[in-house]
């Protein structure tokens, strides 16, 4: 797919929304216009906005971007001629995009003046999270990915008694159970605290299991190395993280404030309560953790 066609396809709905809202605009001054498609001007402002959205301004030339805008305008005109702008699904998609853009713009306006984390904030985060930086570990893992429905007591017993993951693979082959072998590298940053704590106590070659919803990872610890990062190297990463964290907190605070000043009524309690009940997590029995080193239940995302 050419760059211009990719641009034309990716943003058609958003461009359609913008075009529909601008249909009543006055004609742009000739000096601002770069092209005119069926009487609709494409301006320098549109070109500059598109250049900003490409991310890599060196990737496309101005002519390629302009051609993409022309292609997109032709598609919009064709969609309007086919009355797609009156299709309920298209109208819903446009309205959804409009609502999302306005909501995000409001939040961005509210958090624009949030201060950056101080040097002290960054240093404190570094010192309080040694597993992420000063004591960071790198794990080399060999994995067999199986369907969780195949995690039978028999397979668990094989994992507990096998001396290598190759033995487990041979057993799976013999039982005609499908599996996908992989080899991955993970650091402390990629792991949940509980899994990291368990893995730090494991020895090379040790086998263990992690459940990931519909799939289960049968894992062999191949190697564990030190991968520490000093404070200077970690500083930019920590700063970005703290900024994102502060922004999320500010957004949550603003949304909570809006809730206190709004009148919100749930008009179909039966539907809401039914959905809430269906989405509540089902309590699972706690397993005997005497085999925790060999069998770890994954409760949070991490090892991906």
């Amino acid at each position: 797919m050419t760059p211009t066609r990719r641009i034309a396809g990716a943003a058609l709905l958003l461009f359609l929304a913008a075009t529909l809202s601008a249909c009543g605009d006055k004609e742009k001054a000739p000096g601002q216009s770069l092209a005119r498609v069926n009487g609709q001007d494409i301006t320098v402002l549109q070109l500059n906005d598109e250049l900003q959205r490409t991310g890599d301004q060196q990737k496309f030339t101005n002519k390629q971007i302009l051609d993409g805008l022309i292609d997109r305008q032709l598609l919009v005109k064709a969609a309007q001629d086919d009355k797609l702008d009156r299709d309920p699904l298209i109208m819903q998609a446009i309205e959804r995009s409009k609502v999302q853009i306005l909501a995000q713009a409001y939040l961005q306006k509210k958090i624009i003046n949030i201060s950056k984390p101080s040097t002290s904030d960054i240093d404190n985060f570094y010192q309080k999270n040694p597993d992420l930086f000063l004591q960071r570990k790198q794990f080399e893992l060999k994995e067999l990915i199986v369907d969780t429905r195949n995690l039978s007591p028999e397979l668990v017993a094989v994992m507990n008694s096998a001396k290598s993951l190759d033995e487990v693979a041979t057993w799976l082959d013999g039982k005609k159970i499908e599996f996908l072998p992989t080899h991955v590298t993970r650091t402390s940053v990629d792991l949940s605290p509980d899994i990291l704590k368990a893995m730090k106590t494991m020895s090379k070659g040790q086998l263990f299991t992690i459940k990931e919803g519909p799939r289960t990872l049968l894992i062999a610890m191949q190697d564990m190395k030190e991968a520490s990062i000093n404070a200077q190297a970690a500083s930019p990463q920590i700063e970005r993280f703290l900024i994102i964290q502060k922004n999320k907190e500010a957004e949550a605070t603003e949304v909570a404030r809006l809730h206190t000043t709004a009148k919100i009524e749930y008009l179909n309690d039966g539907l809401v309560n039914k959905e809430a009940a269906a989405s509540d997590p089902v309590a699972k029995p706690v397993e005997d953790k005497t085999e925790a080193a060999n069998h770890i239940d994954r409760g949070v995302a991490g090892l991906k």
Side-chain angles (χ1 to χ4, degrees):
M1 183 181 290
T2 64
T4 56
R5 296 297 175 186
R6 192 158 51 241
I7 295 169
L12 176 58
L13 275 178
L14 288 179
F15 189 75
L16 178 58
T19 301
L20 291 174
S21 64
C23 284
D25 290 353
K26 295 181 179 179
E27 187 175 339
K28 306 295 188 300
Q32 295 179 330
S33 299
L34 298 174
R36 185 167 295 155
V37 182
N38 296 320
Q40 182 75 33
D41 283 10
I42 295 175
T43 68
V44 173
L45 289 176
Q46 287 174 277
L47 177 68
N48 289 339
D49 180 65
E50 199 67 32
L51 282 169
Q52 291 293 327
R53 292 176 186 277
T54 60
D56 184 0
Q57 297 186 25
Q58 304 299 319
K59 190 173 183 178
F60 303 115
T61 66
N62 286 359
K63 180 63 165 56
Q64 287 176 313
I65 298 294
L66 180 58
D67 286 343
L69 290 170
I70 291 172
D71 288 354
R72 201 159 64 193
Q73 182 58 41
L74 290 171
L75 289 170
V76 169
K77 180 61 168 60
Q80 290 173 324
D81 290 344
D82 282 350
K83 295 184 172 51
L84 290 178
D85 54 321
R86 301 179 188 178
D87 183 294
L89 292 179
I90 299 297
M91 293 174 69
Q92 287 178 11
I94 291 173
E95 184 61 25
R96 183 169 58 250
S97 296
K98 177 182 175 182
V99 169
Q100 290 173 341
I101 290 169
L102 286 174
Q104 190 59 39
Y106 177 80
L107 288 175
Q108 288 297 321
K109 179 181 178 181
K110 286 298 179 181
I111 67 176
I112 194 170
N113 293 321
I114 291 180
S115 60
K116 288 186 176 182
S118 66
T119 301
S120 177
D121 292 334
I122 294 173
D123 288 342
N124 286 338
F125 189 87
Y126 180 87
Q127 296 298 332
K128 291 180 179 179
N129 295 275
D131 284 333
L132 302 183
F133 306 108
L134 189 60
Q135 298 174 17
R136 178 183 291 192
K137 307 291 184 183
Q138 177 177 297
F139 302 94
E140 298 288 337
L141 306 174
K142 187 176 179 181
E143 300 176 349
L144 302 178
I145 304 174
V146 300
D147 190 315
T148 296
R149 290 173 296 183
N150 292 322
L151 188 63
S152 62
E154 190 179 5
L155 175 53
V156 172
V158 170
M159 279 290 291
N160 288 337
S161 62
K163 305 228 185 291
S164 72
L165 208 57
D166 289 337
E167 287 185 33
V168 179
T170 300
W171 184 87
L172 291 170
D173 277 330
K175 295 292 184 177
K176 301 191 182 307
I177 297 175
E178 293 185 357
F179 62 90
L180 177 67
T182 64
H183 188 281
V184 297
T185 300
R186 294 287 181 262
T187 70
S188 304
V189 178
D190 305 314
L191 306 172
S192 71
D194 289 343
I195 293 176
L196 175 61
K197 182 178 179 180
M199 288 178 61
K200 286 168 67 174
T201 65
M202 294 181 184
S203 57
K204 188 174 180 178
Q206 188 163 346
L207 305 185
F208 60 101
T209 304
I210 292 179
K211 294 180 182 177
E212 267 194 340
R215 70 176 193 169
T216 292
L217 310 180
L218 311 178
I219 307 174
M221 171 78 74
Q222 296 290 94
D223 199 7
M224 179 173 59
K225 301 177 182 177
E226 297 292 334
S228 62
I229 298 179
N230 61 40
Q232 183 178 359
S235 180
Q237 178 185 352
I238 296 173
E239 183 181 52
R240 286 193 299 272
F241 172 81
L242 292 178
I243 288 174
I244 292 172
Q245 188 178 59
K246 290 178 73 173
N247 288 348
K248 287 183 177 179
E249 290 171 354
E251 290 176 2
T253 299
E254 179 59 20
V255 171
R257 186 191 70 79
L258 292 174
H259 270 260
T260 64
T261 60
K263 182 180 180 181
I264 301 173
E265 300 174 84
Y266 292 100
L267 304 179
N268 193 330
D269 289 340
L271 177 62
V272 173
N273 292 334
K274 181 179 178 181
E275 290 182 343
S279 64
D280 282 344
V282 179
K284 297 180 180 179
V286 178
E287 293 186 5
D288 181 0
K289 295 304 177 182
T290 57
E291 298 180 356
N294 292 329
H295 188 83
I296 304 171
D297 284 328
R298 179 163 193 172
V300 294
L303 196 61
K304 295 183 178 178

